[in-house]
Amino acid sequence: MTSTISCTVSDSLSGKLIVLAVTGSIAAVRTVDLARDLIRRGAAVHSVMSGAATEILHPHALEYASGNPVVTRITGRVEHVEFCGVGGRADLLLIAPATANTIGKIAWGIDDTPVTTYATTALGSGVPVVVVPAMHEAMYRHPAVMSNLEALRSMGVVVLDPRIEEEKAKIAESRTVVLEVERLLGPNDLAGRRVLVTGGATAERVDPIRILTNRASGKTGAEIALEARRRGAEVTLVHRGRLGLPLKEVYVESAEDMLRAVLAELEGGGYDAIVAAAAVSDYTRDPSADKIKSGGELVLRLRPTSKIIAAVRASHPEIKMVGFKAETFLSDEELIFRARESMEKNRLDIVVGNDVGRGGMGTEDNRVLILSRSGRVAEVAGKKREIAEAVVDALAGELS
């Protein structure tokens, strides 16, 4: 029963119907999980399979995964027109995995499998098409395959590049595919915008072994970056993590590293906004070159770090800025007052007030107050993805 998992992650695809087209790559076994991931975000999934795909994955598996019958041949119902024709039921055709054979056929208008029939119909009626290649690396590198992929791109098809590993061009990870589907079917209110996000804790070296850091997990920053990408933005995430997210990640360690990385990115130009969600270290020290011997009392002399939001505002007065104000054990009135102070001092457009004394550091859930310059205060409590959605809502409003 797909009803038990629908919208359990989010409702970003609620009301959308996605046709999942499967071809004869061993990566077809991944499509059961992919279908379920789409349903967890509210989508209805209908599947179509080529004959070669049915030799790798039984149609019953996708019928179970999607809760809908699987098309393995075109019948008198003209299923391809029902779903992908003009005014058809489908919002998007997702071909995953796509073999070299299928890619070539679609590029040249050859129509001899259920999947290519759906693709021909979708391209002729303006239904968005996403192709996710999977094959041996040597096949993927073939000049004709490269040319065929470029031909698909020229037709408006979105091609998600494979992961090159173990001499294979492996199918893109499900989270990458799902994020692209969410982007294509989402509100697209940040299309054409560039957004820089800082996230997580920084770490200050004490010696070659020890660091000073804090309990921030980086989940909020990562969720904000992903949400901005869903909404159509080009996103860079600067943080102390290597998460392999389907967007640009810049790794940093210390507060000074983060400051330099942020200013270097902004100097490249073109950014419309920065969301400063990182829990940046307030203090640092000149690290010892050698390990400090253990035992006995240890006194460390610390000095304050530079404030990233102040440096950004000084060098980029025009950029939209979202700041975070973390406090402990304050009333909402006091938290709002402190957040307003930060807004005025740093000329921020939005401030997210966060009482970490009540939780939120390193947790899955949080409660925040989002303040805008207009005086509006929004309370948001829930999963950090929900908080990210509210923050990006506020930022989209400022950018519009």
Side-chain angles (χ1 to χ4, degrees):
M1 293 289 291
T2 59
S3 60
T4 61
I5 65 168
S6 181
C7 295
T8 53
V9 171
S10 77
D11 62 357
S12 60
L13 296 174
S14 182
K16 303 299 183 182
L17 191 153
I18 296 165
V19 173
L20 176 59
V22 183
T23 69
S25 162
I26 189 62
V29 299
R30 295 270 304 279
T31 59
V32 169
D33 288 337
L34 177 57
R36 305 291 275 186
D37 284 341
L38 294 167
I39 293 166
R40 289 185 179 99
R41 289 156 179 82
V45 176
H46 288 256
S47 303
V48 56
M49 301 178 74
S50 68
T54 65
E55 296 180 11
I56 295 171
L57 180 71
H58 199 285
H60 288 174
L62 278 178
E63 182 175 4
Y64 168 79
S66 67
N68 290 304
V70 177
V71 173
T72 57
R73 63 188 184 93
I74 303 301
T75 72
R77 282 186 56 189
V78 288
E79 292 87 350
H80 55 300
V81 176
E82 175 189 353
F83 285 98
C84 293
V86 176
R89 297 171 61 193
D91 293 287
L92 180 139
L93 174 63
L94 172 61
I95 307 174
T99 60
N101 186 40
T102 296
I103 288 166
K105 288 178 177 179
I106 298 171
W108 287 92
I110 298 170
D111 178 0
D112 62 358
T113 73
V115 170
T116 55
T117 299
Y118 270 68
T120 298
T121 309
L123 288 170
S125 59
V127 173
V129 178
V130 178
V131 166
V132 191
M135 63 198 74
H136 285 273
E137 183 180 3
M139 298 174 71
Y140 179 70
R141 300 292 187 197
H142 191 293
V145 175
M146 294 278 105
S147 177
N148 289 335
L149 288 170
E150 284 306 311
L152 293 184
R153 292 186 179 98
S154 71
M155 297 176 195
V157 173
V158 174
V159 177
L160 296 184
D161 293 332
R163 298 174 293 123
I164 305 299
E165 297 175 0
E166 301 171 333
E167 299 183 351
K168 309 290 190 303
K170 296 183 178 181
I171 189 171
E173 292 185 354
S174 289
R175 66 177 176 177
T176 300
V177 178
V178 170
L179 183 65
E180 188 63 22
V181 171
E182 290 176 309
R183 187 185 71 82
L184 289 169
L185 298 181
N188 217 29
D189 51 354
L190 290 180
R193 300 291 192 177
R194 295 189 72 197
V195 178
L196 189 150
V197 181
T198 67
T202 58
E204 309 303 315
R205 290 182 62 209
V206 174
D207 63 20
I209 296 174
R210 302 176 180 92
I211 59 172
L212 298 172
T213 188
N214 60 60
R215 295 194 297 113
S217 66
K219 292 175 183 174
T220 298
E223 290 290 0
I224 289 171
L226 289 168
E227 180 62 19
R229 175 62 185 157
R230 283 185 197 99
R231 309 275 277 267
E234 181 183 339
V235 182
T236 299
L237 175 60
V238 180
H239 65 152
R240 188 171 163 259
R242 293 186 174 95
L243 302 179
L245 300 176
L247 45 84
K248 181 179 179 180
E249 289 185 85
V250 177
Y251 175 83
V252 295
E253 176 116 354
S254 68
E256 184 64 25
D257 292 340
M258 182 170 282
L259 174 60
R260 289 175 180 170
V262 166
L263 292 179
E265 281 291 326
L266 295 179
E267 284 304 316
Y271 280 95
D272 300 284
I274 176 172
V275 182
V280 183
S281 301
D282 291 311
Y283 294 95
T284 188
R285 72 183 301 271
D286 296 321
S288 170
D290 300 315
K291 179 192 171 186
I292 299 172
K293 301 300 183 183
S294 58
E297 187 176 278
L298 174 65
V299 177
L300 298 177
R301 189 176 187 85
L302 305 178
R303 53 182 168 77
T305 58
S306 301
K307 295 299 183 183
I308 293 176
I309 57 175
V312 170
R313 182 49 83 209
S315 59
H316 298 275
E318 77 294 340
I319 199 168
K320 295 291 184 181
M321 287 189 65
V322 181
F324 279 64
K325 183 62 175 172
E327 296 288 353
T328 55
F329 305 111
L330 298 182
S331 67
D332 283 356
E333 291 74 16
E334 292 173 307
L335 182 59
I336 291 170
F337 179 77
R338 301 274 182 93
R340 289 278 180 216
E341 281 187 326
S342 179
M343 177 177 282
E344 296 307 319
K345 177 182 177 182
N346 298 295
R347 290 176 289 155
L348 302 174
D349 300 282
I350 298 166
V351 180
V352 182
N354 184 15
D355 189 338
V356 297
R358 304 176 184 178
M361 292 284 280
T363 64
E364 295 292 334
D365 301 82
N366 201 2
R367 174 187 178 273
V368 301
L369 301 176
I370 302 175
L371 290 73
S372 65
R373 277 208 162 271
S374 66
R376 183 173 180 268
V377 179
E379 176 187 352
V380 185
K383 298 292 184 184
K384 288 183 176 177
R385 172 163 176 165
E386 297 173 83
I387 291 169
E389 290 171 357
V391 172
V392 176
D393 279 342
L395 176 60
E398 287 290 331
L399 289 171
S400 66

